[in-house]
Amino acid sequence: MKILVCISHVPDTTSKINFTEDHTKFDTNGVQFVINPYDEFGLTRAMWFKEKQGASVDVVNVGGPETEPTLRKALAIGADAAIRVNTVATDAFSVAKQLANVVNNGGYDLVIAGRESIDYNGGMVPGMLAGLTNANFVNSCIGLEIDGTKATAVREIDGGKETISASLPLVIGGQKGLVEESDLRIPNMRGIMMARKKPLTVVEPIEASVETQSVSFEKPEPKGSVTLVSPDNLDELINLLHNEAKVI
Amino acid sequence: MGITKNKEYIMSVLVYTESEQGHYKKAALEVASYAKAVADQLGTTVTAVSINVANTSTLGNYGVDKVLNISNTQLEKFSASTYANVIKQAAENESAKVIIVSSSADSKYLAPLLAVELNAGYASNVVAVPSNTSPFTVKRPAFTNKAFENIQINTEVKIIGVSNNAYGLVENSSSASAEDFAPTILESSINVESVDKATDKVTIADAEIVVSGGRGLKGPENWGMIEELAEVLGAATACSKPVSDLGWRPHAEHVGQTGKPVASNLYIAIGISGAIQHLAGINASKVKVVINTDPEAPFFKAADYGVVGDAFQVVPELIEKLKAFKSQQ
Ligand SMILES: Cc1cc2nc3c(=O)[nH]c(=O)nc-3n(C[C@H](O)[C@H](O)[C@H](O)COP(=O)(O)OP(=O)(O)OC[C@H]3O[C@@H](n4cnc5c(N)ncnc54)[C@H](O)[C@@H]3O)c2cc1C
C-alpha cells in the first residue's frame, strides 16, 4: 500500500497573528511554523500502517523552500520520502490541483490529509483532491482501517458518527481519533539523523488557475472589558444575560 | 464598496436547504435567509434545492422564491458525492452562478466535491453578506478566528459556505413555488454501514447556547451539574482539550483551535483558564461568560461577563435561579 500524507506548514498555535503590506500579507516575522495539528494525527496513523501492514509513506507539501524543515520533521517522525511542490500555496483549489498531479504520478492508494489547516481553515483541499483524482472521500475522519483494497472509516457527523466502507483509492480529511493525542510522535535523535539522508524531492508546479484570492485581512475588534458579577448576586447575571445581552 | 447589479447574475441564487427526517435543519433556514440577502444585492431571486421534504412551504418564510423539490428513496442516506452531483444538476438546470451551502458536517463534506464538479471557487465559513459583488468579495475567519480574511472569488460559478449562526434567521415572506425535480442519481461508491447519533441532544454545531467545562471541574464525576445547566438552558455541552484527552468527556465535545469551532450566541466557560488555543476556537461566539476561581485567568480578558467564584458553589445556585427565571417566562 502506497500512502501519501499531505503536510501543511502552519504557524504554531501560540503565534500572534499580524499583517504587513497594508493588511494584505501575513507577517511571518518571529512566527514558529509547525506541522498542521490535524496532519500530525494522520501522519502517526500512516506510521502505524507502515509498521503493522508494511505500507510505504511519502509526505508532500505545496510551498516554497521555507517549508522544508517541516517536511524534514515529518521524515524524522518516520516517513520514507518527501515531495515539495515548488510554488506558493495561494488558494485551496490550486493547491488541490498540484497535489492531484503528485497523486496521479505517484499512484497512491491512500491519501491522508488533515480536515483543515489551522491557518486558512478552508477545509476544502482533501475533498477537492478526491474530486480531482476520482478517489473515494471521507471527511472529518476519526478512525480508519484498511484490509486489502477495502477501507472502513469512521466519520464524525453533527451529533455523532457514522461508519463507512469504501474501496481504495481513498482520500481522507483526518483529525484526532485517527490516533490519540498520546500516540503522537516527537522526532528522536536517531530519526532526525536518518531524516537527513532521506530523499526530499522538489518538483516544479503544473499550470493551475487560481480561483479565489485573499485581498486583505482584518483583526477582530478589540473587546470591551468584562463585566464582573459577584457570586452572591447571580440574579444579576441572569438579568444581564436576559435584558442586556438578550441571549437567554 | 458599491453594490453593482450585474447582468451576469440574473440567474437565481441557488441554496441547498438541508433536512433531517423530512424537516429542514435550522442551518437550512439560515442559509435561505442569507441567500435572500445575496439575491437582493444581485437583483435576482432565490431557488432552493430540497431533498425528501414533503412540505416545502416553510422556505417561503425565509425568502425562497422557488423550490426544486426532489423526492427519491435513493437519497434517503446521505452520500457526499451523490448529493454534490444532485446539486450540480440543479445548478445547471437553473444556470445558477452563486450557490450557497451551510457549515454543517454534511455540507462541508459535499461542498469541495461540488466545487470540483462545477469548477467553482469556494469560500467556506463566510460570516457576512458579500461586501462587493463585482469582484465578488466575502469575509471569512482565518487563523482560527484570530483574524478575518476578505477573499475574492474569481470563477464564473461561486460557492459560499455560510458559517453557523453568523447571519441568523431573517424572515422574509414570499410564497415559494415548488417544482418537482428529478435528477439522475449517481450510485455512491461509499457505503454507510451504521450511524451512531444521539438524537435527544443539541449538537455543538446547531446550539445557540454552549456550556463548556474545563480541568477546573476536577473529574468526570462532576459533570452532572454541567449537564443540568445545559438542560435548563437548552444548550449543548462542550469541554476543553485536556478534559477530552484525559477521557473525562468524549472527543466530540472538545472545542478550540484543534477541536470543534463554536459560534454560538452564548458560551459559558466553567473552570476553563482561557488558553489561546481554547479561545481561538470559541471566539466567534457572540456573548461569553466565564466562571473561574482565579481572577487572573486569561478568560476574563475574552469574556463579556465573569463570575470570580467556585464552580461547585456557583453552578448549582445558577441552575436553581435559572429554573426560577425560566418558570416565570
Ligand atoms: C497545539 C495545541 C493545540 C491545542 N488546542 C486546544 C484546543 O483546541 N482546545 C483547548 O481547550 N485547548 C487546546 N490546547 C490546550 C491549551 O493550551 C490549554 O492547555 C487548555 O485549554 C487548558 O484547559 P483548561 O482551561 O480546561 O485547564 P487549565 O488550564 O488547567 O484551567 C483550569 C481552570 O480552572 C480553574 N478552576 C480550578 N478550580 C476551579 C473551581 N473550583 N471553580 C472554578 N474554576 C476553577 C482554574 O483557575 C483554571 O483557570 C492546545 C494546546 C496545544 C499545544
Side-chain angles (χ1 to χ4, degrees), chain A residues 13, chain B residues 214-216 218 240-242 254-259 271-275 277-278 291-294 297 309-312:
Chain A
T13 54
Chain B
R215 197 151 52 182
K218 316 274 191 286
S240 68
K241 177 169 174 287
H254 161 198
V255 297
Q257 185 158 20
T258 52
I272 296 176
S273 57
Q277 298 94 349
H278 185 87
I291 300 170
N292 196 306
T293 41
D294 177 9
D310 184 344
F312 296 99

Side-chain angles (χ1 to χ4, degrees), chain A residues 11 13-15 17 19 26 37-38 93 115 118-124 127-128 131-132 136-139 155-166 176 180-181 210-220 223 226-229 231 234-235 237-238 240-242 244-245 247-248, chain B residues 78 104-106 108-109 112-113 115-116 120 122 124-125 139-140 142-144 146-155 189-198 203 205 209 241 244-245 251-252 254 257-260 265-266 277 300 302-308 314 318 321-322 325 329:
Chain A
T13 54
T14 57
S15 308
I17 303 298
F19 301 98
F26 172 52
Y38 294 101
F93 214 149
R115 183 190 81 191
I118 63 165
D119 50 1
Y120 293 97
N121 312 103
M124 48 183 96
M128 287 175 167
L132 291 167
N136 284 324
F137 175 46
V138 176
N139 203 22
R155 176 173 81 102
E156 186 173 62
I157 58 176
D158 291 331
K161 57 191 177 184
E162 66 183 21
T163 304
I164 287 173
S165 65
K176 182 161 83 175
E180 295 307 320
E181 185 83 20
V210 172
E211 272 74 15
T212 62
Q213 176 186 349
S214 219
V215 284
S216 64
F217 294 96
E218 296 165 25
K219 296 279 281 277
K223 241 198 56 39
V226 61
T227 303
L228 287 180
V229 178
L234 293 175
D235 286 319
L237 180 63
I238 294 172
L240 288 167
L241 292 176
H242 181 61
E244 188 178 81
V247 287
I248 60 168
Chain B
F78 174 80
S104 70
D106 288 354
K108 282 194 157 177
Y109 189 8
L113 300 173
V116 171
Y122 163 39
S124 60
N125 305 325
K139 181 170 164 176
R140 59 184 302 279
F143 301 97
T144 325
K146 291 180 190 169
F148 291 100
E149 178 191 27
N150 292 301
I151 90 164
Q152 199 173 300
I153 311 179
N154 299 328
T155 43
S189 51
I190 273 181
N191 244 316
V192 176
E193 308 283 356
S194 66
V195 179
D196 175 4
K197 184 170 166 161
T203 65
I209 304 180
K241 177 169 174 287
S244 88
D245 287 345
H251 285 327
H254 161 198
Q257 185 158 20
T258 52
K260 284 207 176 61
N265 289 336
L266 172 61
Q277 298 94 349
F300 284 99
D304 301 281
Y305 303 101
V307 179
V308 179
V314 174
L318 186 60
K321 288 190 185 294
L322 276 168
F325 164 79
Q329 291 293 295

Side-chain angles (χ1 to χ4, degrees), chain B residues 66-70 93-94 177-181:
Chain B
K66 176 173 146 188
V67 182
L68 293 179
N69 192 8
I70 303 167
N93 191 66
E94 298 293 297
S177 64
E179 189 176 288
D180 286 339
F181 183 61

